Coordinates of all heavy atoms in Angstrom, one line a residue:
M5 N -70.6 93.3 -25.4 CA -71.1 93.4 -24.0 C -70.0 93.4 -23.0 O -70.0 94.2 -22.1 CB -72.1 92.3 -23.7 CG -72.7 92.4 -22.4 SD -74.1 91.2 -22.3 CE -73.7 90.5 -20.7
T6 N -69.0 92.5 -23.2 CA -67.9 92.5 -22.2 C -66.6 92.5 -23.0 O -66.5 92.2 -24.2 CB -67.9 91.2 -21.4 OG1 -67.9 90.1 -22.3 CG2 -69.1 91.1 -20.5
T7 N -65.6 93.0 -22.4 CA -64.3 93.1 -23.0 C -63.5 91.8 -22.8 O -63.9 91.0 -22.0 CB -63.5 94.3 -22.4 OG1 -63.2 93.9 -21.0 CG2 -64.2 95.6 -22.5
E8 N -62.5 91.7 -23.6 CA -61.6 90.5 -23.5 C -61.0 90.4 -22.1 O -60.9 89.3 -21.5 CB -60.6 90.5 -24.6 CG -60.2 89.2 -25.2 CD -59.3 89.3 -26.3 OE1 -59.6 90.1 -27.3 OE2 -58.2 88.7 -26.3
A9 N -60.6 91.5 -21.5 CA -60.0 91.5 -20.2 C -61.0 91.1 -19.2 O -60.7 90.3 -18.2 CB -59.5 92.9 -19.9
E10 N -62.3 91.5 -19.3 CA -63.3 91.1 -18.3 C -63.5 89.6 -18.4 O -63.7 88.9 -17.4 CB -64.6 91.8 -18.6 CG -64.5 93.3 -18.2 CD -65.8 94.0 -18.7 OE1 -66.4 93.6 -19.6 OE2 -66.0 95.1 -18.1
G11 N -63.5 89.1 -19.7 CA -63.7 87.6 -19.9 C -62.5 86.8 -19.2 O -62.7 85.8 -18.6
A12 N -61.3 87.3 -19.4 CA -60.2 86.7 -18.8 C -60.2 86.7 -17.3 O -59.9 85.7 -16.6 CB -58.9 87.3 -19.3
A13 N -60.7 87.8 -16.8 CA -60.8 88.0 -15.3 C -61.8 87.0 -14.8 O -61.7 86.4 -13.7 CB -61.1 89.4 -14.9
A14 N -62.9 86.9 -15.5 CA -64.0 86.0 -15.1 C -63.5 84.6 -15.1 O -63.8 83.8 -14.2 CB -65.2 86.2 -16.0
A15 N -62.8 84.2 -16.2 CA -62.3 82.9 -16.3 C -61.3 82.6 -15.2 O -61.3 81.5 -14.6 CB -61.7 82.7 -17.7
E16 N -60.5 83.6 -14.9 CA -59.5 83.4 -13.8 C -60.2 83.1 -12.5 O -59.8 82.3 -11.7 CB -58.6 84.6 -13.7 CG -57.2 84.4 -13.9 CD -56.4 85.7 -13.8 OE1 -56.5 86.4 -12.8 OE2 -55.7 86.0 -14.8
A17 N -61.2 83.9 -12.2 CA -62.0 83.7 -11.0 C -62.6 82.4 -10.9 O -62.7 81.7 -9.9 CB -63.0 84.9 -10.8
A18 N -63.1 81.9 -12.1 CA -63.7 80.6 -12.1 C -62.7 79.5 -11.8 O -63.0 78.5 -11.1 CB -64.4 80.4 -13.5
E19 N -61.5 79.7 -12.4 CA -60.5 78.7 -12.1 C -60.1 78.7 -10.6 O -59.9 77.6 -10.0 CB -59.2 79.0 -12.9 CG -59.5 78.8 -14.4 CD -58.4 79.4 -15.3 OE1 -57.3 79.7 -14.7 OE2 -58.6 79.6 -16.5
D20 N -60.0 79.8 -10.0 CA -59.7 79.9 -8.6 C -60.8 79.2 -7.7 O -60.4 78.6 -6.7 CB -59.7 81.4 -8.1 CG -58.5 82.1 -8.7 OD1 -57.5 81.4 -9.1 OD2 -58.5 83.4 -8.6
G21 N -62.0 79.2 -8.1 CA -63.1 78.6 -7.4 C -63.3 77.1 -7.8 O -64.1 76.4 -7.1
A22 N -62.6 76.6 -8.7 CA -62.7 75.3 -9.2 C -62.2 74.3 -8.1 O -61.2 74.6 -7.4 CB -62.0 75.0 -10.5
S23 N -62.8 73.1 -8.1 CA -62.3 72.1 -7.1 C -61.0 71.5 -7.5 O -60.3 71.0 -6.7 CB -63.4 71.1 -6.9 OG -63.7 70.4 -8.1
R24 N -60.7 71.5 -8.8 CA -59.5 70.9 -9.2 C -58.4 71.9 -9.1 O -58.6 73.1 -9.2 CB -59.6 70.5 -10.7 CG -60.6 69.4 -11.0 CD -60.6 69.0 -12.4 NE -60.9 70.2 -13.3 CZ -60.7 70.2 -14.6 NH1 -60.3 69.1 -15.2 NH2 -61.0 71.3 -15.3
D25 N -57.1 71.4 -8.8 CA -56.0 72.3 -8.8 C -55.5 72.7 -10.1 O -55.8 72.0 -11.1 CB -54.9 71.7 -7.9 CG -54.3 70.4 -8.5 OD1 -55.1 69.6 -9.0 OD2 -53.1 70.2 -8.4
D26 N -54.8 73.8 -10.3 CA -54.4 74.3 -11.6 C -53.5 73.4 -12.3 O -53.5 73.4 -13.5 CB -53.7 75.7 -11.4 CG -54.7 76.8 -10.9 OD1 -55.9 76.6 -11.1 OD2 -54.2 77.7 -10.3
A27 N -52.7 72.6 -11.6 CA -51.8 71.7 -12.3 C -52.5 70.7 -13.1 O -51.9 70.2 -14.1 CB -50.9 71.0 -11.2
S28 N -53.7 70.3 -12.7 CA -54.4 69.3 -13.5 C -55.2 69.8 -14.7 O -55.6 69.0 -15.5 CB -55.4 68.5 -12.6 OG -56.4 69.3 -12.2
A29 N -55.3 71.1 -14.8 CA -56.0 71.7 -15.9 C -55.1 71.8 -17.1 O -54.0 72.3 -17.0 CB -56.5 73.1 -15.5
S30 N -55.6 71.3 -18.3 CA -54.7 71.4 -19.5 C -54.8 72.8 -20.1 O -55.7 73.6 -19.8 CB -55.2 70.4 -20.5 OG -56.4 70.8 -21.0
Q31 N -53.8 73.1 -20.9 CA -53.7 74.4 -21.5 C -54.9 74.6 -22.4 O -55.4 75.7 -22.5 CB -52.4 74.5 -22.4 CG -51.2 74.6 -21.5 CD -51.2 75.9 -20.6 OE1 -51.7 76.9 -21.0 NE2 -50.6 75.8 -19.5
A32 N -55.4 73.5 -23.1 CA -56.6 73.7 -23.9 C -57.8 74.1 -23.1 O -58.6 74.9 -23.6 CB -56.8 72.4 -24.7
E33 N -58.0 73.5 -21.9 CA -59.1 73.9 -21.1 C -59.0 75.3 -20.7 O -60.0 76.0 -20.7 CB -59.2 73.0 -19.8 CG -59.6 71.6 -20.1 CD -59.4 70.7 -18.9 OE1 -58.6 71.0 -18.0 OE2 -60.2 69.7 -18.8
L34 N -57.8 75.8 -20.3 CA -57.7 77.2 -19.9 C -58.0 78.1 -21.1 O -58.6 79.1 -20.9 CB -56.2 77.4 -19.4 CG -55.9 76.7 -18.1 CD1 -54.5 76.9 -17.7 CD2 -56.8 77.0 -17.0
A35 N -57.5 77.8 -22.3 CA -57.8 78.6 -23.4 C -59.3 78.7 -23.7 O -59.8 79.7 -24.1 CB -57.0 78.1 -24.6
T36 N -60.0 77.5 -23.6 CA -61.4 77.5 -23.8 C -62.1 78.4 -22.8 O -63.0 79.1 -23.1 CB -61.9 76.1 -23.7 OG1 -61.3 75.3 -24.6 CG2 -63.4 76.0 -23.9
A37 N -61.7 78.3 -21.5 CA -62.3 79.1 -20.4 C -62.1 80.6 -20.7 O -63.1 81.4 -20.5 CB -61.8 78.7 -19.1
D38 N -61.0 81.0 -21.2 CA -60.7 82.4 -21.5 C -61.6 82.9 -22.6 O -61.9 84.1 -22.6 CB -59.2 82.6 -21.9 CG -58.3 82.5 -20.7 OD1 -58.8 82.6 -19.6 OD2 -57.1 82.4 -20.9
A39 N -62.0 82.0 -23.5 CA -62.7 82.5 -24.7 C -64.2 82.4 -24.5 O -64.9 83.0 -25.4 CB -62.3 81.6 -25.9
L40 N -64.7 81.9 -23.4 CA -66.2 81.7 -23.3 C -66.8 83.0 -22.6 O -66.4 83.4 -21.6 CB -66.5 80.5 -22.4 CG -66.2 79.1 -23.0 CD1 -66.6 78.1 -22.0 CD2 -67.1 78.9 -24.3
S41 N -67.9 83.4 -23.3 CA -68.7 84.4 -22.6 C -69.6 83.7 -21.7 O -69.7 82.5 -21.7 CB -69.5 85.2 -23.7 OG -70.5 84.3 -24.2
Y42 N -70.3 84.5 -20.9 CA -71.3 83.9 -20.0 C -72.4 83.1 -20.8 O -72.7 82.0 -20.4 CB -72.0 85.0 -19.2 CG -73.2 84.5 -18.4 CD1 -73.1 83.8 -17.2 CD2 -74.5 84.7 -18.9 CE1 -74.1 83.3 -16.5 CE2 -75.6 84.2 -18.2 CZ -75.4 83.5 -17.0 OH -76.5 82.9 -16.4
E43 N -72.9 83.7 -21.8 CA -73.9 83.1 -22.6 C -73.4 81.8 -23.2 O -74.2 80.8 -23.2 CB -74.4 84.0 -23.7 CG -75.2 85.2 -23.2 CD -74.3 86.4 -22.7 OE1 -73.0 86.3 -22.8 OE2 -74.9 87.3 -22.1
Q44 N -72.2 81.7 -23.7 CA -71.6 80.5 -24.3 C -71.5 79.4 -23.2 O -71.8 78.3 -23.4 CB -70.3 80.8 -24.9 CG -70.4 81.7 -26.2 CD -69.0 82.2 -26.6 OE1 -68.1 82.5 -25.8 NE2 -68.8 82.3 -27.9
A45 N -70.9 79.8 -22.1 CA -70.7 78.9 -21.0 C -72.1 78.3 -20.5 O -72.2 77.1 -20.3 CB -70.0 79.5 -19.8
R46 N -73.1 79.2 -20.4 CA -74.4 78.7 -19.9 C -75.0 77.8 -20.9 O -75.6 76.8 -20.5 CB -75.3 79.9 -19.7 CG -76.6 79.5 -19.1 CD -77.5 80.8 -18.9 NE -78.8 80.4 -18.4 CZ -79.8 79.9 -19.1 NH1 -79.7 79.7 -20.4 NH2 -81.0 79.6 -18.6
A47 N -74.9 78.1 -22.2 CA -75.5 77.2 -23.2 C -74.8 75.9 -23.2 O -75.5 74.8 -23.3 CB -75.4 77.9 -24.6
E48 N -73.5 75.9 -23.1 CA -72.8 74.6 -23.1 C -73.2 73.8 -21.8 O -73.3 72.6 -21.8 CB -71.3 74.8 -23.2 CG -70.6 73.4 -23.3 CD -69.1 73.6 -23.4 OE1 -68.6 74.7 -23.8 OE2 -68.4 72.6 -23.2
L49 N -73.3 74.5 -20.7 CA -73.7 73.9 -19.4 C -75.1 73.2 -19.6 O -75.3 72.1 -19.1 CB -73.7 74.9 -18.3 CG -74.1 74.4 -16.9 CD1 -73.2 73.2 -16.5 CD2 -74.1 75.5 -15.9
V50 N -76.0 73.9 -20.2 CA -77.4 73.3 -20.5 C -77.2 72.0 -21.3 O -77.9 71.0 -20.9 CB -78.3 74.3 -21.2 CG1 -79.5 73.7 -21.7 CG2 -78.6 75.5 -20.3
E51 N -76.4 72.0 -22.3 CA -76.2 70.8 -23.1 C -75.6 69.7 -22.3 O -76.0 68.5 -22.4 CB -75.2 71.1 -24.3 CG -75.8 72.0 -25.3 CD -74.8 72.4 -26.4 OE1 -73.8 71.7 -26.5 OE2 -75.1 73.4 -27.1
V52 N -74.6 70.0 -21.4 CA -74.0 69.0 -20.6 C -75.0 68.4 -19.7 O -75.1 67.2 -19.5 CB -72.8 69.6 -19.8 CG1 -72.4 68.7 -18.6 CG2 -71.7 69.9 -20.7
V53 N -75.9 69.2 -19.0 CA -76.9 68.7 -18.1 C -77.9 67.8 -18.9 O -78.3 66.7 -18.4 CB -77.6 69.9 -17.4 CG1 -78.9 69.4 -16.7 CG2 -76.7 70.6 -16.5
Q54 N -78.3 68.2 -20.0 CA -79.2 67.4 -20.8 C -78.6 66.1 -21.2 O -79.3 65.0 -21.1 CB -79.6 68.2 -22.1 CG -80.6 69.3 -21.8 CD -80.8 70.2 -23.1 OE1 -80.1 70.1 -24.1 NE2 -81.9 71.0 -23.0
R55 N -77.3 66.1 -21.6 CA -76.7 64.8 -21.9 C -76.6 63.9 -20.7 O -76.8 62.7 -20.8 CB -75.3 65.0 -22.5 CG -75.3 65.6 -23.9 CD -74.0 65.8 -24.5 NE -73.2 64.6 -24.5 CZ -71.9 64.6 -24.8 NH1 -71.2 65.7 -25.0 NH2 -71.2 63.4 -24.9
L56 N -76.3 64.5 -19.5 CA -76.2 63.7 -18.3 C -77.6 63.1 -17.9 O -77.7 62.0 -17.5 CB -75.6 64.5 -17.1 CG -74.1 64.7 -17.1 CD1 -73.8 65.8 -16.1 CD2 -73.4 63.4 -16.9
E57 N -78.6 64.0 -18.0 CA -80.0 63.5 -17.7 C -80.5 62.5 -18.6 O -81.3 61.6 -18.2 CB -80.9 64.7 -17.6 CG -80.7 65.6 -16.4 CD -81.6 66.8 -16.4 OE1 -82.2 67.2 -17.5 OE2 -81.7 67.5 -15.4
S58 N -80.1 62.5 -19.9 CA -80.6 61.5 -20.8 C -80.0 60.1 -20.6 O -80.6 59.1 -21.1 CB -80.3 62.0 -22.3 OG -78.9 61.9 -22.5
G59 N -78.9 60.0 -19.9 CA -78.3 58.7 -19.7 C -77.7 58.2 -20.9 O -77.5 58.8 -21.9
G60 N -77.3 56.9 -20.9 CA -76.7 56.2 -22.0 C -75.2 56.4 -22.2 O -74.6 55.9 -23.1
S61 N -74.6 57.2 -21.3 CA -73.2 57.4 -21.4 C -72.5 56.4 -20.5 O -73.1 56.0 -19.5 CB -72.8 58.9 -20.9 OG -73.4 59.8 -21.7
T62 N -71.3 56.2 -20.8 CA -70.5 55.3 -19.9 C -70.1 56.1 -18.7 O -70.3 57.3 -18.6 CB -69.2 54.9 -20.6 OG1 -68.3 56.0 -20.9 CG2 -69.4 54.2 -22.0
L63 N -69.6 55.4 -17.7 CA -69.2 56.0 -16.5 C -68.1 57.1 -16.7 O -68.2 58.2 -16.2 CB -68.7 55.0 -15.4 CG -68.2 55.6 -14.1 CD1 -69.3 56.4 -13.4 CD2 -67.7 54.4 -13.2
E64 N -67.2 56.7 -17.6 CA -66.1 57.6 -17.9 C -66.6 58.9 -18.6 O -66.2 60.0 -18.3 CB -65.0 56.9 -18.7 CG -63.7 57.6 -18.8 CD -63.0 57.7 -17.4 OE1 -63.2 56.8 -16.6 OE2 -62.3 58.7 -17.2
E65 N -67.5 58.7 -19.5 CA -68.1 59.8 -20.2 C -68.9 60.7 -19.3 O -68.8 61.9 -19.3 CB -69.0 59.4 -21.4 CG -68.3 58.7 -22.5 CD -69.2 58.0 -23.5 OE1 -70.3 57.7 -23.2 OE2 -68.7 57.8 -24.7
S66 N -69.6 60.1 -18.4 CA -70.4 60.8 -17.4 C -69.6 61.6 -16.5 O -69.9 62.8 -16.2 CB -71.3 59.9 -16.6 OG -72.3 59.3 -17.4
L67 N -68.4 61.0 -16.1 CA -67.5 61.8 -15.2 C -66.9 63.0 -15.9 O -66.8 64.1 -15.3 CB -66.4 60.9 -14.7 CG -66.9 59.9 -13.6 CD1 -65.7 58.9 -13.3 CD2 -67.3 60.6 -12.3
A68 N -66.5 62.8 -17.2 CA -66.0 63.9 -18.0 C -67.0 65.0 -18.2 O -66.7 66.2 -18.1 CB -65.5 63.3 -19.3
L69 N -68.3 64.6 -18.4 CA -69.3 65.6 -18.5 C -69.5 66.3 -17.2 O -69.7 67.6 -17.2 CB -70.6 64.9 -19.0 CG -70.7 64.5 -20.4 CD1 -72.0 63.6 -20.7 CD2 -70.8 65.7 -21.3
W70 N -69.5 65.6 -16.1 CA -69.7 66.2 -14.8 C -68.6 67.3 -14.6 O -68.9 68.4 -14.1 CB -69.7 65.2 -13.7 CG -69.9 65.8 -12.4 CD1 -68.9 66.2 -11.5 CD2 -71.1 66.0 -11.7 NE1 -69.5 66.7 -10.4 CE2 -70.8 66.6 -10.5 CE3 -72.4 65.8 -12.1 CZ2 -71.8 67.0 -9.6 CZ3 -73.4 66.2 -11.2 CH2 -73.1 66.8 -9.9
E71 N -67.3 66.9 -14.8 CA -66.2 67.8 -14.6 C -66.4 69.0 -15.5 O -66.1 70.1 -15.1 CB -64.9 67.1 -14.9 CG -64.5 66.0 -13.9 CD -63.3 65.2 -14.2 OE1 -62.8 65.3 -15.4 OE2 -62.9 64.5 -13.3
R72 N -66.8 68.8 -16.8 CA -66.9 70.0 -17.7 C -68.1 70.9 -17.2 O -68.0 72.1 -17.2 CB -67.2 69.5 -19.1 CG -67.4 70.6 -20.1 CD -66.2 71.4 -20.2 NE -66.4 72.5 -21.2 CZ -65.7 73.6 -21.4 NH1 -64.7 73.8 -20.6 NH2 -66.0 74.5 -22.3
G73 N -69.1 70.2 -16.7 CA -70.2 71.0 -16.1 C -69.8 71.8 -14.9 O -70.2 73.0 -14.8
E74 N -69.0 71.3 -14.0 CA -68.4 72.0 -12.9 C -67.6 73.2 -13.4 O -67.7 74.3 -12.8 CB -67.6 71.1 -12.0 CG -68.4 70.1 -11.2 CD -69.2 70.7 -10.1 OE1 -68.8 71.7 -9.5 OE2 -70.3 70.2 -9.8
E75 N -66.8 73.0 -14.4 CA -66.0 74.1 -14.9 C -66.8 75.2 -15.5 O -66.6 76.4 -15.2 CB -65.0 73.5 -16.0 CG -64.1 74.6 -16.6 CD -63.3 74.0 -17.7 OE1 -63.3 72.8 -18.0 OE2 -62.5 74.8 -18.3
L76 N -67.8 74.8 -16.3 CA -68.7 75.8 -16.9 C -69.5 76.5 -15.8 O -69.7 77.7 -15.9 CB -69.7 75.1 -17.9 CG -69.0 74.5 -19.1 CD1 -69.9 73.5 -19.8 CD2 -68.6 75.6 -20.0
A77 N -70.0 75.8 -14.8 CA -70.7 76.5 -13.7 C -69.8 77.5 -13.0 O -70.3 78.6 -12.7 CB -71.2 75.4 -12.7
G78 N -68.5 77.2 -12.9 CA -67.6 78.1 -12.3 C -67.4 79.4 -13.1 O -67.3 80.5 -12.6
I79 N -67.3 79.2 -14.4 CA -67.2 80.3 -15.4 C -68.4 81.2 -15.3 O -68.3 82.4 -15.2 CB -67.0 79.8 -16.8 CG1 -65.6 79.1 -16.9 CG2 -67.1 80.9 -17.8 CD1 -65.4 78.4 -18.2
C80 N -69.6 80.6 -15.3 CA -70.9 81.3 -15.1 C -70.9 82.1 -13.8 O -71.3 83.3 -13.8 CB -72.1 80.4 -15.3 SG -72.3 79.8 -16.9
R81 N -70.5 81.4 -12.7 CA -70.5 82.0 -11.4 C -69.6 83.2 -11.4 O -69.9 84.3 -10.8 CB -70.1 81.0 -10.4 CG -70.4 81.4 -8.9 CD -70.2 80.3 -7.9 NE -69.3 79.2 -8.3 CZ -69.7 78.0 -8.8 NH1 -71.0 77.8 -8.9 NH2 -68.9 77.1 -9.1
A82 N -68.4 83.1 -12.0 CA -67.4 84.2 -12.0 C -68.0 85.4 -12.8 O -67.8 86.5 -12.4 CB -66.1 83.7 -12.7
W83 N -68.7 85.1 -14.0 CA -69.3 86.2 -14.7 C -70.3 86.9 -13.9 O -70.4 88.1 -13.9 CB -69.9 85.7 -16.0 CG -68.9 85.5 -17.2 CD1 -68.5 84.4 -17.7 CD2 -68.3 86.6 -17.9 NE1 -67.6 84.6 -18.7 CE2 -67.5 86.0 -18.9 CE3 -68.4 88.0 -17.8 CZ2 -66.8 86.7 -19.8 CZ3 -67.7 88.7 -18.8 CH2 -66.9 88.1 -19.7
L84 N -71.2 86.1 -13.2 CA -72.3 86.7 -12.4 C -71.7 87.5 -11.2 O -72.2 88.6 -10.9 CB -73.2 85.6 -11.9 CG -74.0 85.0 -13.1 CD1 -74.8 83.8 -12.5 CD2 -75.0 86.0 -13.7
D85 N -70.7 86.9 -10.6 CA -70.0 87.7 -9.5 C -69.4 89.0 -9.9 O -69.5 90.0 -9.3 CB -68.9 86.8 -8.8 CG -69.5 85.6 -8.0 OD1 -70.7 85.6 -7.7 OD2 -68.7 84.7 -7.7
G86 N -68.8 88.9 -11.1 CA -68.2 90.2 -11.7 C -69.3 91.2 -12.0 O -69.2 92.4 -11.7
A87 N -70.4 90.7 -12.5 CA -71.5 91.6 -12.8 C -72.1 92.2 -11.6 O -72.4 93.4 -11.5 CB -72.6 90.9 -13.6
R88 N -72.2 91.4 -10.5 CA -72.8 91.9 -9.2 C -71.8 92.9 -8.7 O -72.3 94.0 -8.2 CB -72.9 90.7 -8.3 CG -73.2 91.1 -6.8 CD -74.4 92.0 -6.6 NE -75.6 91.5 -7.0 CZ -76.8 92.2 -7.1 NH1 -76.7 93.5 -6.9 NH2 -77.9 91.7 -7.5
A89 N -70.5 92.7 -8.7 CA -69.6 93.7 -8.2 C -69.7 95.0 -9.0 O -69.6 96.1 -8.4 CB -68.2 93.1 -8.3
R90 N -69.8 94.9 -10.3 CA -70.0 96.1 -11.1 C -71.2 96.9 -10.7 O -71.2 98.1 -10.6 CB -69.9 95.8 -12.5 CG -68.5 95.4 -13.0 CD -68.5 94.9 -14.4 NE -69.1 95.8 -15.4 CZ -69.5 95.5 -16.6 NH1 -69.4 94.2 -17.0 NH2 -69.9 96.4 -17.4
L91 N -72.3 96.2 -10.5 CA -73.6 96.8 -10.1 C -73.5 97.4 -8.7 O -73.9 98.6 -8.5 CB -74.7 95.8 -10.1 CG -75.2 95.4 -11.5 CD1 -76.2 94.2 -11.3 CD2 -75.9 96.5 -12.2
D92 N -72.9 96.7 -7.8 CA -72.7 97.2 -6.5 C -71.8 98.5 -6.5 O -72.1 99.5 -5.8 CB -72.0 96.2 -5.5 CG -73.0 95.1 -5.2 OD1 -74.2 95.2 -5.4 OD2 -72.5 94.0 -4.7
A93 N -70.8 98.5 -7.3 CA -69.9 99.7 -7.4 C -70.7 100.9 -7.9 O -70.6 102.0 -7.4 CB -68.7 99.4 -8.3
V94 N -71.6 100.7 -8.9 CA -72.4 101.8 -9.5 C -73.4 102.3 -8.5 O -73.6 103.5 -8.3 CB -73.1 101.3 -10.8 CG1 -74.2 102.3 -11.2 CG2 -72.1 101.1 -11.9
L95 N -74.0 101.3 -7.7 CA -75.0 101.7 -6.7 C -74.3 102.5 -5.6 O -74.9 103.5 -5.1 CB -75.7 100.5 -6.1 CG -76.7 99.8 -7.1 CD1 -77.2 98.5 -6.5 CD2 -77.8 100.7 -7.5
E96 N -73.1 102.1 -5.2 CA -72.4 102.8 -4.1 C -72.0 104.2 -4.6 O -72.1 105.2 -3.9 CB -71.1 102.1 -3.7 CG -71.4 100.9 -2.9 CD -70.1 100.1 -2.6 OE1 -69.0 100.7 -2.6 OE2 -70.2 98.9 -2.2
E97 N -71.6 104.3 -5.9 CA -71.3 105.6 -6.5 C -72.5 106.5 -6.5 O -72.4 107.7 -6.2 CB -70.7 105.4 -7.9 CG -70.2 106.7 -8.5 CD -69.6 106.4 -9.9 OE1 -68.8 105.5 -10.0 OE2 -70.1 107.1 -10.9
E98 N -73.6 106.0 -6.9 CA -74.9 106.8 -7.0 C -75.3 107.2 -5.6 O -75.8 108.3 -5.4 CB -76.0 106.0 -7.6 CG -75.8 105.9 -9.1 CD -76.9 105.0 -9.8 OE1 -77.8 104.5 -9.1 OE2 -76.8 105.0 -11.0
E99 N -75.1 106.3 -4.6 CA -75.5 106.7 -3.2 C -74.6 107.8 -2.7 O -75.1 108.7 -2.1 CB -75.3 105.5 -2.3 CG -76.5 104.5 -2.4 CD -76.3 103.3 -1.5 OE1 -75.3 103.3 -0.7 OE2 -77.0 102.3 -1.7
G100 N -73.3 107.7 -3.1 CA -72.4 108.8 -2.7 C -72.7 110.1 -3.3 O -72.7 111.2 -2.7
E101 N -73.1 110.1 -4.6 CA -73.5 111.3 -5.3 C -74.8 111.9 -4.7 O -75.0 113.1 -4.5 CB -73.7 111.1 -6.7 CG -72.4 110.8 -7.5 CD -72.6 110.4 -8.9 OE1 -73.7 110.3 -9.4 OE2 -71.5 110.2 -9.6
G102 N -75.7 111.0 -4.3 CA -77.0 111.4 -3.7 C -76.8 112.1 -2.4 O -77.4 113.0 -2.0
E103 N -75.9 111.5 -1.6 CA -75.6 112.2 -0.3 C -74.9 113.5 -0.5 O -75.2 114.5 0.3 CB -74.6 111.2 0.5 CG -75.3 110.0 1.0 CD -74.4 109.0 1.7 OE1 -73.2 109.4 1.9 OE2 -74.8 107.9 2.0
E104 N -74.0 113.7 -1.4 CA -73.4 115.0 -1.7 C -74.5 116.0 -2.1 O -74.4 117.1 -1.7 CB -72.3 114.8 -2.8 CG -71.1 114.1 -2.3 CD -70.1 113.9 -3.5 OE1 -70.3 114.5 -4.5 OE2 -69.2 113.1 -3.3
G105 N -75.4 115.5 -3.0 CA -76.4 116.4 -3.5 C -77.3 116.8 -2.3 O -77.8 118.0 -2.3
A106 N -77.6 115.9 -1.4 CA -78.5 116.2 -0.3 C -77.8 117.2 0.7 O -78.4 118.2 1.2 CB -78.8 115.0 0.5
D107 N -76.5 117.1 0.8 CA -75.7 118.0 1.7 C -75.7 119.4 1.1 O -75.9 120.4 1.8 CB -74.2 117.5 1.9 CG -74.2 116.3 2.7 OD1 -75.1 116.0 3.4 OD2 -73.1 115.6 2.7
E108 N -75.5 119.5 -0.2 CA -75.5 120.8 -0.9 C -76.9 121.4 -0.8 O -77.0 122.6 -0.6 CB -75.1 120.6 -2.4 CG -73.7 120.2 -2.6 CD -73.3 119.9 -4.0 OE1 -74.2 120.1 -4.9 OE2 -72.2 119.4 -4.2
A109 N -78.0 120.6 -1.0 CA -79.3 121.2 -0.9 C -79.6 121.7 0.5 O -80.2 122.8 0.7 CB -80.3 120.1 -1.3
E110 N -79.1 121.0 1.6 CA -79.3 121.5 2.9 C -78.6 122.8 3.2 O -79.1 123.7 3.8 CB -78.9 120.4 3.9 CG -79.8 119.2 4.0 CD -79.2 118.1 4.9 OE1 -78.3 118.4 5.7 OE2 -79.7 117.0 4.8
G111 N -77.4 122.9 2.6 CA -76.6 124.1 2.7 C -77.3 125.3 2.0 O -77.3 126.4 2.5
D112 N -77.9 125.0 0.9 CA -78.6 126.1 0.2 C -79.8 126.6 0.9 O -80.1 127.8 1.0 CB -79.0 125.6 -1.2 CG -77.9 125.3 -2.1 OD1 -76.8 125.9 -1.8 OD2 -78.1 124.6 -3.2
D113 N -80.5 125.7 1.6 CA -81.7 126.1 2.4 C -81.4 126.9 3.6 O -82.1 127.8 4.0 CB -82.5 124.8 2.8 CG -83.1 124.1 1.7 OD1 -83.3 124.8 0.6 OD2 -83.5 122.9 1.8
A114 N -80.2 126.6 4.2 CA -79.8 127.3 5.4 C -79.3 128.7 5.1 O -79.3 129.6 6.0 CB -78.7 126.5 6.1
G115 N -78.8 129.0 3.9 CA -78.2 130.3 3.6 C -79.1 131.3 3.2 O -79.4 132.3 3.5

């Protein structure tokens, strides 16, 4: 469905939107973000939310889960933003082609 380059771009965009600065992100976290598809990030986010809602975690565990959830939400948001941009580009292209076709049709009727 998506290429590795698109995945890396989505992960990069997610990192840009993250509330933590890049210096605090470990290399392992960055590698994980690069490897996650939208579906994988969303599924893990659902698990994180369920674990937080179930309670029973220590404060430290809850904070770690919250941070991971924020990271996953950013990855999902970046994938969705990328998809929206691609759809908008296709729609703009189709509108441009539709206008050209209408101009040609008007020229044919006048001649």
Side-chain angles (χ1 to χ4, degrees):
M5 183 169 136
T6 58
T7 66
E8 217 172 304
E10 290 170 336
E16 239 178 56
E19 290 166 20
D20 291 343
S23 59
R24 297 184 301 168
D25 60 321
D26 292 337
S28 68
S30 72
Q31 290 298 329
E33 288 173 332
L34 295 177
T36 301
D38 286 344
L40 290 178
S41 69
Y42 169 79
E43 291 80 7
Q44 291 168 326
R46 184 180 178 280
E48 187 178 342
L49 180 57
V50 168
E51 291 175 18
V52 166
V53 169
Q54 288 173 344
R55 287 180 61 191
L56 283 169
E57 287 178 343
S58 71
S61 299
T62 65
L63 178 60
E64 197 62 33
E65 290 169 339
S66 295
L67 287 173
L69 285 169
W70 180 270
E71 289 173 352
R72 181 61 179 162
E74 289 289 329
E75 180 183 359
L76 292 165
I79 292 168
C80 290
R81 191 170 26 258
W83 276 109
L84 292 173
D85 289 346
R88 169 52 66 193
R90 290 172 55 197
L91 286 172
D92 288 345
V94 168
L95 291 174
E96 285 178 21
E97 185 178 308
E98 288 179 356
E99 285 178 8
E101 290 174 1
E103 289 174 9
E104 289 175 13
D107 290 343
E108 291 172 8
E110 287 175 15
D112 291 343
D113 291 341

